[in-house]
Amino acid sequence: MILLGTCCLSTVPSTTPAYPSLPLGSYFDLHKPLLYSKPSKFTSLVINGHRRICDLFDLHQEHVPYEVAWSWQKEIVREKRAQIEKEGDCNDTLIILQHPPVYTLGTASTMENLKFDMKNAPFNIYRTERGGEVTYHGPGQLVMYPIINLRTHKMDLHWYLRTLEEVVIRVLSSTFSIQASTVEGLTGVWVGNEKLAAVGIRVSSWITYHGLALNVTTDLSPFKWIIPCGIRDRQVGSIKELVREGVGRGRADLHHLNDASLIHITHESLLEEFSQAFQLEYSYKSISSSMLYERK
């Protein structure tokens, strides 16, 4: 089924047909606070500079249901708009997490890019206000949701999109010795014919939300049920697959890393490159899962 508008937990079906080759991963334990890693060594690169503060919610080990994260983002946007109206500015925010399996549709999405019966969808489907076409989110994919005030960066959506892509390109190069690029006329980050990162954003009063998704150890089989981003003649890929294939031969040590380690080093590199690209200093924040679920 397609779920529209602002979501609350009561709108989510209690059961979803399972996709046979994809482990669903764990959902939140509603009685257990989320735990976040302590600031890692790269934060020293920005702590002494004169940079904007970015509130960081580091949930990269958590599988946060899409509708919860979506509602949370929209609430933060409303709070920032109110703060800007009252005080003239606000801190930026970055959320990094994973999602349980889900398909999302952007403003340009059409049903022609779905290869399944809508009445028997493999996973929940959400039509959102972000730009772009259909995509898949699931375990092993790191998703970054920057909620930043472009008035204090650059009021240029093309610049913002290209900067998000550049963050991923730098991560792949510096951490994995993988040479990635953009493709003219398309969004996202590519290695050859494979798309490793999708980008889809929304901007409200120059405050951004939604963001980017990078396939790290993702099971790519659910992408076969859709035409990802509406692009028929290209494939999707992951860091894990490229490392196994020997792409980025300068990092032979990466071949022996397990999935958790690949997620960890990719997450740290994403945070570092994002802070450098947007000249931000992180202020680590925490939130309990029960507080997240209170958001409607």
Side-chain angles (χ1 to χ4, degrees):
M1 66 181 295
I2 298 181
L3 304 176
L4 304 176
T6 301
C7 301
C8 62
L9 295 182
S10 61
T11 65
V12 182
S14 58
T15 59
T16 303
Y19 191 89
S21 63
L22 182 64
L24 294 182
S26 59
Y27 282 73
F28 279 172
D29 177 352
L30 294 184
H31 304 290
K32 177 182 177 183
L34 301 180
L35 300 178
Y36 305 98
S37 58
K38 294 180 180 179
S40 52
K41 62 182 180 180
F42 70 79
T43 55
S44 64
L45 297 174
V46 299
I47 198 69
N48 295 320
H50 299 286
R51 302 188 178 190
R52 287 182 56 78
I53 297 297
C54 180
D55 295 333
L56 173 61
F57 292 90
D58 185 353
L59 290 75
H60 78 280
Q61 295 180 317
E62 302 289 342
H63 296 168
V64 182
Y66 185 83
E67 67 278 7
V68 174
W70 186 21
S71 180
W72 186 21
Q73 290 178 73
K74 291 186 283 188
E75 179 177 337
I76 293 174
V77 170
R78 289 192 295 268
E79 291 172 350
K80 291 188 184 302
R81 291 178 62 180
Q83 185 178 358
I84 290 172
E85 184 175 347
K86 182 179 180 180
E87 303 174 13
D89 197 6
C90 63
N91 286 354
D92 292 330
T93 297
L94 175 63
I95 303 168
I96 183 168
L97 46 71
Q98 299 178 55
H99 287 305
V102 66
Y103 293 117
T104 67
L105 307 175
T107 54
S109 295
T110 65
M111 298 300 105
E112 296 175 356
N113 291 321
L114 305 180
K115 299 181 180 179
F116 50 78
D117 185 346
M118 291 297 302
K119 297 180 180 179
N120 190 30
F123 309 117
N124 285 341
I125 307 172
Y126 293 92
R127 181 174 290 279
T128 77
E129 67 277 87
R130 66 161 172 80
E133 254 288 354
V134 60
T135 195
Y136 165 77
H137 298 302
Q141 182 190 78
L142 287 174
V143 182
M144 297 180 74
Y145 292 130
I147 308 173
I148 65 176
N149 181 8
L150 287 182
R151 293 184 185 90
T152 59
H153 292 274
K154 190 172 184 179
M155 295 169 67
D156 184 329
L157 299 187
H158 293 288
W159 169 85
Y160 177 61
L161 285 168
R162 301 294 84 81
T163 304
L164 289 180
E165 293 166 341
E166 182 62 25
V167 167
V168 176
I169 290 171
R170 291 180 185 180
V171 166
L172 295 172
S173 176
S174 64
T175 303
F176 299 100
S177 297
I178 294 173
Q179 299 307 305
S181 64
T182 57
V183 174
E184 185 175 356
L186 301 174
T187 60
V189 175
W190 305 78
V191 177
N193 197 46
E194 295 185 346
K195 188 173 189 175
L196 265 67
V199 178
I201 66 167
R202 181 76 175 184
V203 176
S204 174
S205 302
W206 292 107
I207 301 171
T208 68
Y209 60 118
H210 295 284
L212 67 86
L214 174 59
N215 296 326
V216 185
T217 63
T218 323
D219 179 355
L220 301 178
S221 56
F223 283 102
K224 296 178 182 179
W225 288 80
I226 61 175
I227 300 173
C229 303
I231 304 171
R232 297 177 179 272
D233 59 346
R234 292 178 180 265
Q235 306 299 318
V236 293
S238 70
I239 292 174
K240 180 179 179 178
E241 284 194 344
L242 292 177
V243 168
R244 284 181 173 178
E245 293 169 3
V247 178
R249 291 181 175 82
R251 295 296 310 276
D253 56 309
L254 297 174
H255 293 227
H256 306 292
L257 293 178
N258 59 25
D259 284 6
S261 296
L262 279 174
I263 288 287
H264 177 70
I265 65 172
T266 305
H267 137 265
E268 289 220 334
S269 186
L270 278 169
L271 293 184
E272 178 172 358
E273 297 297 347
F274 185 86
S275 72
Q276 295 298 319
F278 289 94
Q279 295 291 291
L280 296 170
E281 175 183 329
Y282 292 130
S283 172
Y284 279 70
K285 304 293 183 180
S286 62
I287 186 169
S288 69
S289 53
S290 59
M291 288 179 64
L292 271 182
Y293 274 92
E294 290 174 1
R295 285 154 169 78
K296 303 295 184 182

